[in-house]
mmCIF file of all heavy atoms in Angstrom:
data_model
loop_
_atom_site.group_PDB
_atom_site.id
_atom_site.type_symbol
_atom_site.label_atom_id
_atom_site.label_comp_id
_atom_site.label_asym_id
_atom_site.label_seq_id
_atom_site.Cartn_x
_atom_site.Cartn_y
_atom_site.Cartn_z
ATOM 1 N N VAL A 267 1.377 21.759 3.523
ATOM 2 C CA VAL A 267 0.394 22.017 4.568
ATOM 3 C C VAL A 267 1.148 22.100 5.985
ATOM 4 O O VAL A 267 2.309 21.648 6.065
ATOM 5 C CB VAL A 267 -0.710 20.850 4.744
ATOM 6 C CG1 VAL A 267 -1.499 20.849 3.376
ATOM 7 C CG2 VAL A 267 -0.017 19.543 4.901
ATOM 8 N N CYS A 275 -6.684 18.736 6.109
ATOM 9 C CA CYS A 275 -7.026 17.951 4.894
ATOM 10 C C CYS A 275 -7.865 16.744 5.200
ATOM 11 O O CYS A 275 -7.820 16.227 6.352
ATOM 12 C CB CYS A 275 -5.703 17.454 4.182
ATOM 13 S SG CYS A 275 -4.897 18.767 3.332
ATOM 14 N N SER A 301 -6.238 6.214 13.233
ATOM 15 C CA SER A 301 -6.296 5.029 12.353
ATOM 16 C C SER A 301 -7.669 4.654 11.966
ATOM 17 O O SER A 301 -8.014 3.486 12.041
ATOM 18 C CB SER A 301 -5.613 3.842 13.039
ATOM 19 O OG SER A 301 -4.206 4.220 13.324
ATOM 20 N N ALA A 309 -7.010 2.719 -1.855
ATOM 21 C CA ALA A 309 -6.961 3.314 -3.260
ATOM 22 C C ALA A 309 -6.829 4.796 -3.282
ATOM 23 O O ALA A 309 -6.798 5.434 -4.370
ATOM 24 C CB ALA A 309 -8.246 2.968 -4.038
ATOM 25 N N LEU A 318 -4.059 14.071 -10.521
ATOM 26 C CA LEU A 318 -2.899 14.818 -10.983
ATOM 27 C C LEU A 318 -2.671 14.604 -12.397
ATOM 28 O O LEU A 318 -2.323 15.561 -13.202
ATOM 29 C CB LEU A 318 -1.646 14.538 -10.188
ATOM 30 C CG LEU A 318 -1.702 14.989 -8.726
ATOM 31 C CD1 LEU A 318 -0.624 14.403 -7.856
ATOM 32 C CD2 LEU A 318 -1.403 16.476 -8.687
ATOM 33 N N ALA A 327 -3.513 20.178 -22.806
ATOM 34 C CA ALA A 327 -4.463 20.374 -23.890
ATOM 35 C C ALA A 327 -4.774 21.800 -24.102
ATOM 36 O O ALA A 327 -4.895 22.273 -25.187
ATOM 37 C CB ALA A 327 -5.647 19.466 -23.569
ATOM 38 N N PHE A 337 -2.114 6.544 -35.307
ATOM 39 C CA PHE A 337 -2.580 5.246 -34.820
ATOM 40 C C PHE A 337 -1.764 4.143 -35.658
ATOM 41 O O PHE A 337 -1.573 4.233 -36.866
ATOM 42 C CB PHE A 337 -3.972 5.010 -35.161
ATOM 43 C CG PHE A 337 -4.513 3.628 -34.764
ATOM 44 C CD1 PHE A 337 -4.845 3.357 -33.562
ATOM 45 C CD2 PHE A 337 -4.638 2.676 -35.798
ATOM 46 C CE1 PHE A 337 -5.295 2.021 -33.208
ATOM 47 C CE2 PHE A 337 -5.050 1.364 -35.432
ATOM 48 C CZ PHE A 337 -5.381 1.068 -34.167
ATOM 49 N N HIS A 351 3.522 -10.415 -41.249
ATOM 50 C CA HIS A 351 2.877 -9.245 -40.699
ATOM 51 C C HIS A 351 3.137 -8.130 -41.536
ATOM 52 O O HIS A 351 3.981 -8.036 -42.385
ATOM 53 C CB HIS A 351 3.335 -9.155 -39.250
ATOM 54 C CG HIS A 351 4.754 -8.550 -39.163
ATOM 55 N ND1 HIS A 351 5.799 -9.470 -38.912
ATOM 56 C CD2 HIS A 351 5.373 -7.362 -39.356
ATOM 57 C CE1 HIS A 351 6.914 -8.791 -38.929
ATOM 58 N NE2 HIS A 351 6.675 -7.513 -39.175
ATOM 59 N N TRP A 416 3.547 3.483 -11.945
ATOM 60 C CA TRP A 416 3.505 4.138 -10.623
ATOM 61 C C TRP A 416 4.856 4.743 -10.270
ATOM 62 O O TRP A 416 5.905 4.053 -10.390
ATOM 63 C CB TRP A 416 3.183 3.033 -9.554
ATOM 64 C CG TRP A 416 2.952 3.641 -8.237
ATOM 65 C CD1 TRP A 416 3.866 3.777 -7.305
ATOM 66 C CD2 TRP A 416 1.853 4.322 -7.879
ATOM 67 N NE1 TRP A 416 3.401 4.494 -6.281
ATOM 68 C CE2 TRP A 416 2.088 4.878 -6.574
ATOM 69 C CE3 TRP A 416 0.547 4.658 -8.342
ATOM 70 C CZ2 TRP A 416 1.189 5.598 -5.787
ATOM 71 C CZ3 TRP A 416 -0.376 5.382 -7.654
ATOM 72 C CH2 TRP A 416 -0.036 5.862 -6.450
ATOM 73 N N PRO A 418 8.227 6.402 -8.401
ATOM 74 C CA PRO A 418 8.873 6.095 -7.130
ATOM 75 C C PRO A 418 8.537 7.222 -6.157
ATOM 76 O O PRO A 418 8.120 8.302 -6.424
ATOM 77 C CB PRO A 418 10.462 6.282 -7.469
ATOM 78 C CG PRO A 418 10.507 6.978 -8.796
ATOM 79 C CD PRO A 418 9.140 6.729 -9.501
ATOM 80 N N GLN A 434 8.002 13.464 -18.462
ATOM 81 C CA GLN A 434 8.985 12.521 -19.095
ATOM 82 C C GLN A 434 8.484 11.105 -19.296
ATOM 83 O O GLN A 434 8.934 10.454 -20.144
ATOM 84 C CB GLN A 434 10.179 12.443 -18.117
ATOM 85 C CG GLN A 434 10.949 13.755 -18.045
ATOM 86 C CD GLN A 434 11.942 13.866 -16.981
ATOM 87 O OE1 GLN A 434 12.039 12.906 -16.117
ATOM 88 N NE2 GLN A 434 12.772 14.921 -16.862
ATOM 89 N N GLU A 458 -3.161 -12.490 -46.666
ATOM 90 C CA GLU A 458 -3.873 -13.747 -47.091
ATOM 91 C C GLU A 458 -3.397 -14.203 -48.448
ATOM 92 O O GLU A 458 -3.184 -15.433 -48.717
ATOM 93 C CB GLU A 458 -5.430 -13.503 -47.147
ATOM 94 C CG GLU A 458 -6.086 -13.402 -45.677
ATOM 95 C CD GLU A 458 -6.025 -14.690 -44.943
ATOM 96 O OE1 GLU A 458 -5.637 -15.787 -45.469
ATOM 97 O OE2 GLU A 458 -6.430 -14.600 -43.665
ATOM 98 N N ALA A 474 6.977 -32.121 -55.470
ATOM 99 C CA ALA A 474 7.986 -32.416 -56.429
ATOM 100 C C ALA A 474 9.192 -33.248 -55.818
ATOM 101 O O ALA A 474 9.761 -33.989 -56.427
ATOM 102 C CB ALA A 474 8.557 -31.130 -57.060
ATOM 103 N N ASP A 513 -5.338 -41.541 -50.711
ATOM 104 C CA ASP A 513 -4.111 -41.405 -49.958
ATOM 105 C C ASP A 513 -4.314 -41.568 -48.502
ATOM 106 O O ASP A 513 -3.591 -41.086 -47.623
ATOM 107 C CB ASP A 513 -3.505 -40.104 -50.084
ATOM 108 C CG ASP A 513 -2.423 -40.149 -51.142
ATOM 109 O OD1 ASP A 513 -2.211 -41.220 -51.822
ATOM 110 O OD2 ASP A 513 -1.708 -39.258 -51.350
ATOM 111 N N PRO A 541 3.141 -41.688 -52.379
ATOM 112 C CA PRO A 541 4.064 -41.107 -53.433
ATOM 113 C C PRO A 541 3.929 -39.617 -53.497
ATOM 114 O O PRO A 541 4.783 -38.950 -54.014
ATOM 115 C CB PRO A 541 3.660 -41.812 -54.714
ATOM 116 C CG PRO A 541 2.265 -42.283 -54.462
ATOM 117 C CD PRO A 541 2.154 -42.545 -52.951
ATOM 118 N N ARG A 545 6.201 -35.621 -45.971
ATOM 119 C CA ARG A 545 6.330 -35.477 -44.467
ATOM 120 C C ARG A 545 7.234 -36.602 -43.933
ATOM 121 O O ARG A 545 7.425 -37.649 -44.568
ATOM 122 C CB ARG A 545 5.003 -35.604 -43.879
ATOM 123 C CG ARG A 545 4.053 -34.610 -44.445
ATOM 124 C CD ARG A 545 2.552 -35.042 -44.089
ATOM 125 N NE ARG A 545 2.235 -36.305 -44.749
ATOM 126 C CZ ARG A 545 1.542 -36.250 -45.962
ATOM 127 N NH1 ARG A 545 1.154 -35.128 -46.430
ATOM 128 N NH2 ARG A 545 1.300 -37.388 -46.429
ATOM 129 N N PRO A 558 -19.653 -38.744 -51.709
ATOM 130 C CA PRO A 558 -18.816 -39.951 -52.010
ATOM 131 C C PRO A 558 -17.846 -39.781 -53.215
ATOM 132 O O PRO A 558 -17.053 -40.614 -53.420
ATOM 133 C CB PRO A 558 -19.922 -41.005 -52.424
ATOM 134 C CG PRO A 558 -21.081 -40.132 -52.949
ATOM 135 C CD PRO A 558 -21.039 -38.819 -52.202
ATOM 136 N N THR A 565 -13.367 -27.743 -54.785
ATOM 137 C CA THR A 565 -12.041 -27.149 -54.487
ATOM 138 C C THR A 565 -12.216 -25.744 -53.919
ATOM 139 O O THR A 565 -11.298 -25.279 -53.104
ATOM 140 C CB THR A 565 -11.047 -27.015 -55.736
ATOM 141 O OG1 THR A 565 -11.826 -26.122 -56.693
ATOM 142 C CG2 THR A 565 -10.751 -28.300 -56.362
ATOM 143 N N THR A 598 -22.180 -28.647 -39.343
ATOM 144 C CA THR A 598 -22.579 -30.004 -39.567
ATOM 145 C C THR A 598 -23.957 -30.281 -39.163
ATOM 146 O O THR A 598 -24.511 -29.805 -38.102
ATOM 147 C CB THR A 598 -21.630 -30.905 -38.838
ATOM 148 O OG1 THR A 598 -20.386 -30.814 -39.431
ATOM 149 C CG2 THR A 598 -22.134 -32.376 -38.803
ATOM 150 N N VAL A 599 -24.815 -31.048 -40.031
ATOM 151 C CA VAL A 599 -26.079 -31.465 -39.632
ATOM 152 C C VAL A 599 -25.973 -32.956 -39.249
ATOM 153 O O VAL A 599 -26.924 -33.467 -38.473
ATOM 154 C CB VAL A 599 -27.204 -31.244 -40.750
ATOM 155 C CG1 VAL A 599 -27.457 -29.763 -40.877
ATOM 156 C CG2 VAL A 599 -26.688 -31.831 -41.994
#
Side-chain angles (χ1 to χ4, degrees):
V267 298
C275 285
S301 298
L318 286 165
F337 178 82
H351 70 261
W416 186 262
Q434 290 168 358
E458 287 290 354
D513 262 7
R545 303 161 295 261
T565 56
T598 292
V599 291

